[in-house]
Amino acid sequence: MKPGHRTGVLLAAVGAVTLGAGALAPAVVAGADSAPPAPPAKVALPQGPPHIPADAARLGSAPPAQVLALDVALAGQNPAGLAQAVAAVSTPGSPDYRHYLTAAQYAARFGPTATEVAQVSSALRAEGLTVGSPDPGSILLPVRGTAAAVSAAFGTPLESVQPPGQAPAIVNTATPQVPADLAGAVTAVVGLDGLFHEHAMLRPKSGSAAPGPGAGAPDHVAAVRASTPQACAAAQATAFGGTYTSTQMSSIFGLDQLFGQGRIGLGQTIAIVEFEQYSLNDFNAFESCYGLSSPIRNVVVDGGPGGPPGGAGEAALDTELASFNAPAASLVVYETPNDNDAQALDLFNRIAGDDTAQVVTTSWGNCEAMTAGGTLQAENTIFSRLALQGQTMIAASGDSGSEDCTGSDALGVDDPGSQPTVVSAGGTTLGSGSASSQAVWNCSFLCHGSPGAGGGGYSQEWPLNPGQTKPAGFPTGGTDACNNAAGCRSVPDISYPADPGNGSVAAYFDGSWGGFGGTSVAAPTNAGLFADTNQGCFNHLGRVGPALYAAGTGPNFTDITSGNNDFTGTNGGKFQAGPGYDAASGLGTPIDQNLAIALQGADGCPSVASVSPNTGPHSGGGAITISGGGFLNASAVTFGSAGTGRIVTQSEDSITVIPPNAPGPLCVDVTVQNSQGISATSPADHYGFDGDLNCGQGYRFVASDGGIFDYGDATFWGSTGSLHLNAPVVGMGVTPSTNGYWMVASDGGIFNYGDAKFLGSMGGQHLNKPIVGMASTADGNGYWLVAADGGIFNYGDAKFFGSTGSMRLNRPIVGMAATPDGGGYWLVASDGGIFSYGDAQFRGSAGSLVLNSPVVGMAAGPGGNGYWLVAADGGIFDYGSAGFFGSAGSIRLNQPVVGMAATSDGNGYWLVAADGGIFTYGDAPFFGSTGSIRLNKPIVGMSST
């Protein structure tokens, strides 16, 4: 862990009440002189009690004072319309195909209304429970209460039980009930099933540890393209007897051909679901072996998982395979405990709310038949949101064959892979190192490693998915698994080698290399494929299932036609592989380069990774090289307003082009066009005529005397540097156009320049505490000032959402940041405590940590789904979707850091010190500083353009 940096800490500020999104408001208790109201009539929810194993010890009633954290699932707006919208955006040929919604649009159209939230919250508080507020668009209403209060509120006894070898757990023993007037508004109470645990789909190979770095050699070396990451000697030494390196796997299934086209997941983010920790040392060792440098960060939900610090291997495998199979993608590991059914939903809900990942992968699951119906329905709503936002989710199908409910001979499938909007990934055995040698994985004895078989079969909950037909072996008549004559959702959709003995992959765990199998391999591997396929496209794959079935088998999949997944041998060989789709192997294993073409076009969407050289004269410039992907059929290369260049040569991943002439110094985005579209812009595609690489980027900082220092494309509009001030300047804000700014003094005086409007001030009025910062609204027609006691003063169209002005704080407020839509704001105290108001979501704080130096400021992350805090020693604390890109926490500074600003894309930030020294991280460029200049007064804040 880097000094001054904490990743994803989710701890509330000490002594502070965090309001707004995710906050818990106190229960309303009737006064002693009030007559007790008649208990409201209640109705049962459509969810029964969980299954309690026959050999579980029954320990009696749950301790009445034990506090439980639950989720009450709300129906939201228009559930039927949600299903229709998901079908429309995911069905090839639909007018709305791949026309996705933003998280804000989803919240407005399908999330619970404020009235619905208020009605349910009021009723639950009246039952003696403590109720929080859902994040925007979330159907999960956080609720806390003692076991006694929860039991009374939901009309169900709570019992302590303990299965053999497990810790005691609390479960409900009757169907939960809610007040009758909430019927239809509440769909489930989640978190009552303490026996619910997600299971890893990991099968290590026995005796596969590498004999030593550089020792040994693979016995089935396959030719690969030069652009494919190459395995180091230590990984190759593990690749024998049915174990393969990722390099070899990429050659067998055609991923190396995508790599050769430059399709490596540029601009993509993969969310990795984990219920255990992982070792960053293991991950870095894998990266070093293959020459990778994937950005990775953690998001901790509900306090994060327990267990060994390095996990048990699942998280190591998932992160490493996602990294290899999409080498340029960013990885975000979402971690949560594994103690009840609410925690998994909280994690999935967080991924949907953050809306930063284009692909989501999980190698964990639970028996569908053992999962409460209300939990499945709430999960389905969350996964529908992912689909409607264009996020693809893939899940391992399970490792116990067609009897995937552990310990049972009955047919069963795994959730979440059986969910309609999720891609289920099954398992094969790889006979001779070629894709055509595959059969269904099913090994129950004499196996090299853990016995297992690829999960597959029929859902008992969901009807047949679009594009699926009833395969051979489908139960008929009244024995239909989901009681639907048209057919039931069948899994898997696709497969990949999973046999530890014949088809395992080399991974680095607990300090050594080894072979790993299980359908855990299939999920992150194909998540990487989907990220590579997405590259450069504005319209991501989203719910890709219907498109997979539209692509059919033929040239896009290797059809698996032999073997079955009747792991226990008690179900007559169900299910048998055969030509076309089957419930043992799905459509087969992807032929990666062909499937990518079928899903996103012949040459893929263009994307620019680099421009070299990235500067040249404004006229008569020589040839430059553009690297990226989707270039073979590119028709034009455009240099912003300067026009198109002349293409000299082109290949799949490179274009040589002569730039056009420009009128003078100019910074432009270089974009490439082919039949699939135009490449998205990013700092990587900047080209500077006459050396101008600012491209609208820049920053300015302000001194306590109001002196302004501007760099890059930040324009000077005026200052108070020559004026006599009543009080020192303490901060600044910038207008949306960046063509103006405000400065605020500690007495609340406002100074406006450029297109920044004066809308009011506290200058000349009595303040309890001095002003310490400000933030502006999204349209620039309003602003807030914040005082050291957290008092808020709003002007123009800036609305008041709350303050800490009447609270006793442990430490003073030092800054604030507004959400992108202006519908909320965060306040930060010097101890790192966070106070959230309006639609500003609480993502964590440093309030309970011992800090080396006080926090001095903050900046909002991309989309308002996260934020950074910065300490005086340059330490960075990142939360939510805000990524960690580096800090000055371990550097000896000449002067303390006093503020920060983020880049427009959220992939970098600047820190500024009191002497005007600048520290740049991520994609934040350096434009200049006053670090070597003698200043009249110290720098107190900064803003970016």
Side-chain angles (χ1 to χ4, degrees):
M1 185 171 290
K2 299 176 177 64
H5 170 234
R6 303 291 187 274
T7 301
V9 180
L10 290 178
L11 298 171
V14 173
V17 177
T18 302
L19 302 178
L24 294 178
V28 177
V29 182
D33 56 350
S34 300
K42 294 188 176 183
V43 295
L45 293 173
Q47 65 177 91
H51 170 75
I52 300 175
D55 58 355
R58 310 293 285 257
L59 306 179
S61 298
Q66 183 169 338
V67 176
L68 304 180
L70 312 173
D71 289 321
V72 171
L74 307 179
Q77 303 176 65
N78 194 9
L82 173 60
Q84 294 168 359
V86 169
V89 300
S90 59
T91 303
S94 163
D96 292 326
Y97 184 49
R98 294 182 179 171
H99 292 174
Y100 302 121
L101 301 183
T102 66
Q105 290 170 329
Y106 175 89
R109 287 181 56 181
F110 299 107
T113 65
T115 300
E116 181 182 4
V117 171
Q119 177 195 11
V120 176
S121 298
S122 176
L124 295 179
R125 290 191 185 107
E127 296 280 349
L129 301 177
T130 303
V131 184
S133 299
D135 290 340
S138 169
I139 62 165
L140 301 182
L141 187 66
V143 173
R144 293 175 69 89
T146 64
V150 168
S151 176
F154 296 113
T156 175
L158 298 177
E159 186 176 338
S160 292
V161 299
Q162 186 173 16
Q166 297 185 28
I170 293 177
V171 297
N172 60 302
T173 57
T175 298
Q177 303 176 41
V178 294
D181 59 354
L182 298 185
V186 172
T187 62
V189 178
V190 187
L192 295 174
D193 183 1
L195 293 175
F196 179 97
H197 300 291
E198 296 276 348
H199 301 285
M201 311 301 183
L202 181 71
R203 292 292 187 269
K205 179 183 178 182
S206 297
S208 63
D219 60 358
H220 42 249
V221 178
V224 295
R225 288 172 174 261
S227 56
T228 301
Q230 301 295 300
C232 63
Q236 292 181 38
T238 311
F240 63 93
T243 297
Y244 300 75
T245 66
S246 290
T247 304
Q248 293 164 327
M249 285 293 201
S250 73
S251 177
I252 292 169
F253 293 96
L255 189 65
D256 63 328
Q257 296 190 38
L258 287 185
F259 290 165
Q261 296 171 13
R263 299 174 75 172
I264 55 177
L266 284 166
Q268 300 298 299
T269 297
I270 300 175
I272 303 172
V273 172
E274 297 299 345
F275 298 88
E276 69 175 22
Q277 302 180 66
Y278 69 99
S279 165
L280 195 57
N281 289 336
D282 285 347
F283 180 78
N284 288 339
F286 182 91
E287 294 276 286
S288 176
C289 171
Y290 283 98
L292 302 170
S293 56
S294 302
I296 188 169
R297 64 184 176 88
N298 302 337
V299 174
V300 178
V301 179
D302 292 347
E314 182 61 76
L317 183 72
D318 294 342
T319 53
E320 292 169 15
L321 294 187
S323 171
F324 177 90
N325 288 281
S330 296
L331 309 181
V332 184
V333 183
Y334 286 80
E335 302 177 321
T336 196
N338 197 10
D339 300 324
N340 60 53
D341 50 344
Q343 292 160 342
L345 261 66
D346 288 345
L347 184 149
F348 295 131
N349 194 54
R350 179 64 179 275
I351 293 174
D354 285 352
D355 192 24
T356 56
Q358 291 78 37
V359 182
V360 182
T361 178
T362 179
S363 297
W364 300 76
N366 193 50
C367 171
E368 181 193 73
M370 298 296 183
T371 305
T375 300
L376 293 173
Q377 291 292 338
E379 196 178 56
N380 179 258
T381 300
I382 296 170
F383 293 158
S384 294
R385 179 179 183 179
L386 291 176
L388 203 51
Q389 293 175 177
Q391 298 173 272
T392 302
M393 183 166 174
I394 183 169
S397 70
D399 295 346
S400 298
S402 57
E403 302 88 359
D404 215 61
C405 292
T406 305
S408 171
D409 290 340
L411 294 175
V413 296
D414 245 31
D415 174 82
S418 63
Q419 288 275 350
T421 59
V422 176
V423 174
S424 174
T428 67
T429 185
L430 187 59
S432 63
S434 67
S436 61
S437 71
Q438 294 175 99
V440 176
W441 171 42
N442 188 348
C443 185
S444 57
F445 62 94
L446 297 180
C447 305
H448 296 284
S450 303
Y458 300 91
S459 168
Q460 298 181 26
E461 184 75 18
W462 310 110
L464 200 67
N465 252 16
Q468 289 187 327
T469 57
K470 284 188 183 181
F474 181 81
T476 57
T479 61
D480 289 1
C482 61
N483 196 31
N484 190 316
C488 309
R489 159 75 163 132
S490 53
V491 294
D493 297 300
I494 60 176
S495 287
Y496 195 79
D499 184 349
N502 292 290
S504 56
V505 65
Y508 195 88
F509 170 63
D510 198 23
S512 64
W513 289 92
F516 292 86
T519 52
S520 288
V521 174
T525 296
N526 285 287
L529 168 63
F530 293 148
D532 299 333
T533 304
N534 270 343
Q535 178 178 307
C537 292
F538 295 106
N539 295 323
H540 301 128
L541 296 175
R543 181 196 182 189
V544 71
L548 291 175
Y549 287 92
T553 51
N556 300 319
F557 293 91
T558 298
D559 194 7
I560 311 302
T561 58
S562 64
N564 67 67
N565 63 345
D566 183 2
F567 180 54
T568 63
T570 58
N571 284 287
K574 291 181 180 176
F575 293 95
Q576 180 68 42
Y581 180 87
D582 55 69
S585 64
L587 292 165
T589 55
I591 302 174
D592 291 346
Q593 76 280 13
N594 292 357
L595 182 60
I597 290 171
L599 294 176
Q600 288 285 34
D603 199 27
C605 298
S607 53
V608 175
S610 65
V611 177
S612 180
N614 63 352
T615 61
H618 71 271
S619 64
I624 66 171
T625 299
I626 304 169
S627 299
F631 293 166
L632 185 61
N633 298 312
S635 57
V637 178
T638 303
F639 289 71
S641 61
T644 58
R646 178 169 61 87
I647 296 176
V648 179
T649 62
Q650 63 191 111
S651 65
E652 292 170 325
D653 60 356
S654 178
I655 294 180
T656 302
V657 61
I658 305 294
N661 293 335
L666 181 65
C667 181
V668 297
D669 288 296
V670 179
T671 56
V672 177
Q673 181 174 359
N674 69 7
S675 60
Q676 304 302 306
I678 301 173
S679 60
T681 59
S682 75
D685 66 29
H686 289 174
Y687 181 82
F689 291 98
D690 288 348
D692 181 0
L693 282 171
N694 297 339
C695 278
Q697 291 189 100
Y699 48 76
R700 60 176 66 88
F701 29 89
V702 60
S704 64
D705 61 357
I708 290 288
F709 304 86
D710 51 283
Y711 298 93
D713 277 354
T715 303
F716 177 78
W717 298 103
S719 77
T720 62
S722 61
L723 302 178
H724 175 74
L725 303 179
N726 294 327
V729 169
V730 292
M732 72 182 310
V734 66
T735 61
S737 70
T738 74
N739 290 324
Y741 44 82
W742 301 269
M743 295 182 289
V744 60
S746 63
D747 64 355
I750 288 288
F751 306 89
N752 57 300
Y753 299 94
D755 65 0
K757 303 173 183 177
F758 178 78
L759 301 165
S761 79
M762 289 298 294
Q765 301 184 53
H766 173 74
L767 298 172
N768 293 329
K769 294 290 182 180
I771 299 297
V772 294
M774 73 176 300
S776 64
T777 58
D779 60 7
N781 291 320
Y783 46 77
W784 299 272
L785 313 183
V786 61
D789 61 357
I792 289 289
F793 306 90
N794 54 302
Y795 300 94
D797 64 2
K799 296 180 181 178
F800 177 79
F801 298 107
S803 78
T804 63
S806 60
M807 296 181 186
R808 181 178 177 181
L809 303 177
N810 290 335
R811 292 289 185 269
I813 299 297
V814 293
M816 73 179 303
T819 57
D821 63 0
Y825 44 76
W826 299 273
L827 313 183
V828 61
S830 65
D831 63 355
I834 287 288
F835 305 85
S836 53
Y837 299 94
D839 65 3
Q841 302 175 35
F842 176 76
R843 295 306 195 189
S845 80
S848 63
L849 302 178
V850 177
L851 304 179
N852 294 329
S853 295
V855 168
V856 294
M858 72 180 303
N865 291 319
Y867 43 79
W868 297 273
L869 313 183
V870 61
D873 63 356
I876 289 289
F877 305 84
D878 57 297
Y879 301 96
S881 60
F884 177 76
F885 303 106
S887 80
S890 61
I891 301 173
R892 182 176 178 180
L893 304 176
N894 293 328
Q895 294 291 324
V897 169
V898 295
M900 72 178 302
T903 58
S904 59
D905 62 3
N907 290 322
Y909 43 74
W910 299 271
L911 313 183
V912 62
D915 60 358
I918 286 288
F919 305 87
T920 63
Y921 301 96
D923 64 4
F926 177 78
F927 296 115
S929 77
T930 62
S932 60
I933 300 174
R934 183 176 179 181
L935 302 175
N936 293 329
K937 295 292 182 180
I939 300 299
V940 294
M942 74 177 301
S943 65
S944 59
T945 59

